[in-house]
Amino acid sequence: MHKDKGKDKGKAGVGVRHLISTDDLTDDELRYVVDRGDDFSSGRATLDLPLAGQIAGIYFRKTSTRTRTAFSAGALRLGAQIVAYGPDDLQLNTGETSEDTGAVFSRMLDVLVARTAGDPAEMRAWASQDRMSVINAMSSAEHPTQAVTDLVTLQRRFGKIEGLRVLYVGEGNNSAASIALAATRYPGVHLELRTPAGYGLDPEIAARSTAHAERCGSTLIERHDMNDLPDSLDAIYTTRWQTTGTTKPDANWRDIFDPFQVNAALWDQNPQAIFLHDLPAHRGEEVTAEILDGPMSIAFDQAENKMHAAMAVLDWCRRGTVE
C-alpha cells in the first residue's frame, strides 16, 4: 500500500491523496468512493463545489473518449477549472524528467489526471511531492477509475456488490486487473475470469487479487478456456480485444481470441445476467451487436457512470474523507 505524503497547501488539514493503483485505496476508502459515485449517479449528492478555486490538469497521452470527457466534465461540475494537455505538449518529449515535471505541475495545479498507457512508475514520480494529487486515468498495469465505474454501475443496478457473481471474458488487461483488485474486496463476490492462454492477468496482479479474496471472503477464479462456464451469473463483462496503447506478439492472435467472444450463447445459461463493456466496442469481435445493443446491455449506463466515478475520485483526492 502506498502512503500519501504531506499536506495540501490550499486546504489546511486535508492530506494530499493519489489514486495510481486500486490498492492505494483501503477497503473502507474504496467503499466510500463507490458509495460517493453512486450518490452522484443517483442525484443524491449535493453539488457544493468542493473543487471551487482549484485547477485540474488533464493530460492524455493516448486516445480517450469517455475517461477524458468524464474527468473534464466532472471537474467542471465540482467547481474546478481545467488545463488540458495533449501527447505532444510537454517538455517530457524533449527529455525533462518526470520528477521535474511533477514538481513544476504541483506548484501550479491542484490535481493531475493522466493517461499514459505506460509504466505507472512515471505517475509515482509525479506524485513525489506534497501539493498536487495524481490520478491514474489508465496505465499499462491498471485502470483504477474504470474499476470504480464498474462497481458504481453494479451497485446502482443491484443495490449492493456483496455476493454478486460476475464473469469477465477476454484479455487480462488493465481493466481486468483493476476489477480483480476491487471486486475481491467485497464479501461473497464470485469473480471468474476466462482469458486466452498467454493473455491472462499479470501474475503479480493475480496474487494481490487472490490475497484480497482470501482476506475478504470472496472468490477469484481464472481459467483459459470457455468450458464449464458458471451459471446464475449477475453480470458478464468484456473489453475490446485490442487494448489501447498495446500490440500483441502473436500474428494469429484473433484466432486465439475468437472462442472468447461474448454472444447470445452465453445467455442460454444466464438469461437474467446484465452485460457490461468498458467501451469502445468492436461489434462482431469481442461482442456481438445482439448483446451490446440488446436489452441485457447497460454498457452506456456504465459509460455515463464514468463521470460520476470521476467526480467521486476527484472529491476523495481533494476533499473527501471516510465517514
Side-chain angles (χ1 to χ4, degrees):
M1 201 69 65
H2 301 276
K3 302 299 184 182
D4 301 319
K5 302 189 303 179
K7 296 293 179 182
D8 175 13
K9 306 307 183 191
K11 297 282 184 178
V14 177
V16 173
R17 294 171 171 151
H18 310 292
L19 181 55
I20 299 171
S21 167
T22 309
D23 279 351
D24 289 339
L25 296 166
T26 67
D27 294 348
D28 285 344
E29 288 168 339
L30 176 61
R31 284 168 173 75
Y32 173 84
V33 172
V34 171
D35 288 347
R36 187 72 167 147
D38 188 351
D39 288 342
F40 282 127
S41 181
S42 68
R44 292 190 299 269
T46 301
L47 286 179
D48 56 353
L49 304 181
L51 270 65
Q54 300 194 38
I55 307 296
I58 310 291
Y59 174 42
F60 276 63
R61 194 179 293 163
K62 297 295 182 180
T63 56
S64 174
T65 298
R66 280 148 292 277
T67 307
R68 180 170 179 168
T69 305
F71 272 101
S72 298
L76 290 169
R77 288 172 184 268
L78 293 177
Q81 298 181 65
I82 63 173
V83 180
Y85 308 95
D88 301 319
D89 291 343
L90 301 181
Q91 296 291 2
L92 284 165
N93 291 357
T94 66
E96 183 171 36
T97 68
S98 294
E99 289 80 2
D100 286 355
T101 299
V104 171
F105 270 156
S106 72
R107 292 166 183 263
M108 303 178 188
L109 302 175
D110 297 290
V111 58
L112 176 66
V113 180
R115 166 171 290 191
T116 66
D119 190 332
E122 182 177 24
M123 296 184 190
R124 293 285 174 204
W126 296 334
S128 60
Q129 39 69 39
D130 62 358
R131 298 185 177 193
M132 174 187 74
S133 297
V134 177
I135 297 172
N136 177 2
M138 195 181 77
S139 67
S140 59
E142 291 187 50
H143 195 349
T145 63
Q146 181 63 53
V148 175
T149 299
D150 299 339
L151 294 182
V152 168
T153 303
L154 289 169
Q155 184 161 300
R156 292 284 296 139
R157 179 70 177 206
F158 296 104
K160 63 172 186 176
I161 298 166
E162 293 82 359
L164 294 181
R165 294 173 58 80
V166 179
L167 173 66
Y168 174 92
V169 180
E171 186 173 21
N173 57 19
N174 42 32
S175 290
S178 291
I179 192 64
L181 288 167
T184 50
R185 313 269 203 100
Y186 286 79
V189 163
H190 177 89
L191 176 62
E192 187 152 337
L193 298 95
R194 297 299 182 98
T195 57
Y199 294 94
L201 285 179
D202 177 272
E204 192 267 341
I205 295 286
R208 284 159 53 193
S209 301
T210 298
H212 288 323
E214 292 173 351
R215 179 174 54 81
C216 297
S218 59
T219 305
L220 177 70
I221 296 172
E222 183 176 19
R223 286 180 53 175
H224 303 301
D225 59 59
M226 292 294 284
N227 300 323
D228 301 318
L229 291 169
D231 55 17
S232 301
L233 292 170
D234 297 295
I236 300 172
Y237 184 8
T238 194
T239 67
R240 67 174 174 172
W241 288 342
Q242 192 63 52
T243 303
T244 299
T246 66
T247 58
K248 293 189 169 49
D250 302 298
N252 64 333
W253 67 267
R254 289 184 186 277
D255 295 334
I256 298 171
F257 275 70
D258 276 344
F260 295 85
Q261 182 186 74
V262 173
N263 52 42
L266 288 179
W267 265 262
D268 289 344
Q269 287 181 266
N270 296 281
Q272 74 291 337
I274 61 166
F275 174 67
L276 299 175
H277 194 306
D278 61 357
L279 302 178
H282 290 179
R283 291 168 178 84
E285 290 191 0
E286 76 277 5
V287 62
T288 61
E290 178 182 11
I291 298 302
L292 181 62
D293 303 318
M296 69 286 288
S297 175
I298 60 169
F300 290 92
D301 292 336
Q302 183 183 4
E304 179 184 342
N305 282 329
K306 276 208 167 184
M307 182 183 69
H308 304 303
M311 293 169 69
V313 170
L314 287 164
D315 187 42
W316 176 78
C317 281
R318 299 309 302 167
R319 184 199 65 172
T321 58
V322 176
E323 299 174 343

